[in-house]
Amino acid sequence: MAASGDVPKVVFRIPTPALIAAGSAAVCATPVAWAAPGLQALYLLPAAFAWWVLRNRTTVDGERIVARSTFGKRVVEWSDVKAIKVVPKGWLSAVLADDSMLRLPAVRAGHLPTLSLVSGGRVADPTAVPDVEEPADAPAEPDEDETPPPLKSDE
């Protein structure tokens, strides 16, 4: 495993091309927003989405996890993390020592190898191949130059 000094920190965030959706929504809202007084408030929806994209992220290093949500931030030491809850099509969550859950924004199941590397092995890497040793009583395979004994037939 890599030491925590090898990888200082990793930031998981929502891809910034998602801001194109906010800009497109603002452009599409323009004809409606200027149709009547007060409808300019429609611009708040794309602005709120852009804020959500820019704000939600998880920063992980060898010491701690920093989860930033839309309106808050929570810092958790790795020693307080009991497990990582994996959701196949959603964001992962950290199960803390007091059995509470901390959602890790923008961290998905595909990020587990990176999370394992940065955490110094505190999170298991599901893609790692375990070292499997042959049991001592396992039959030895014949060498390539050794021919197997002939089969007996009951004729």
Side-chain angles (χ1 to χ4, degrees):
M1 258 321 118
S4 62
D6 294 346
V7 182
K9 71 176 181 177
V10 175
V11 179
F12 300 97
R13 60 179 52 197
I14 299 169
T16 51
L19 293 173
I20 295 171
S24 298
V27 169
C28 292
T30 298
V32 176
W34 294 101
L39 286 180
Q40 291 83 16
L42 287 175
Y43 287 124
L44 292 176
L45 294 174
F49 178 71
W51 174 259
W52 180 81
V53 168
L54 294 172
R55 179 80 178 150
N56 280 298
R57 68 176 155 249
T58 301
T59 305
V60 181
D61 61 16
E63 320 269 314
R64 67 188 64 82
I65 300 172
V66 180
R68 291 183 187 265
S69 62
T70 307
F71 298 110
K73 171 177 120 172
R74 184 146 178 217
V75 179
V76 176
E77 300 294 323
W78 275 111
S79 59
D80 295 335
V81 177
K82 187 164 65 171
I84 298 290
K85 181 181 177 187
V86 179
V87 180
K89 293 188 177 186
W91 290 348
L92 302 184
S93 296
V95 180
L96 304 179
D98 61 355
D99 289 329
S100 64
M101 302 278 277
L102 172 65
R103 177 169 263 168
L104 304 176
V107 182
R108 296 189 167 269
H111 296 129
L112 279 172
T114 305
L115 197 61
S116 174
L117 180 69
V118 173
S119 71
R122 292 178 183 100
V123 176
D125 182 359
T127 61
V129 179
D131 294 334
V132 179
E133 295 182 16
E134 273 190 41
D137 59 344
E141 293 184 22
D143 293 335
E144 291 179 12
D145 59 340
E146 187 179 310
T147 59
L151 297 173
K152 294 182 183 178
S153 62
D154 296 331
E155 289 184 16

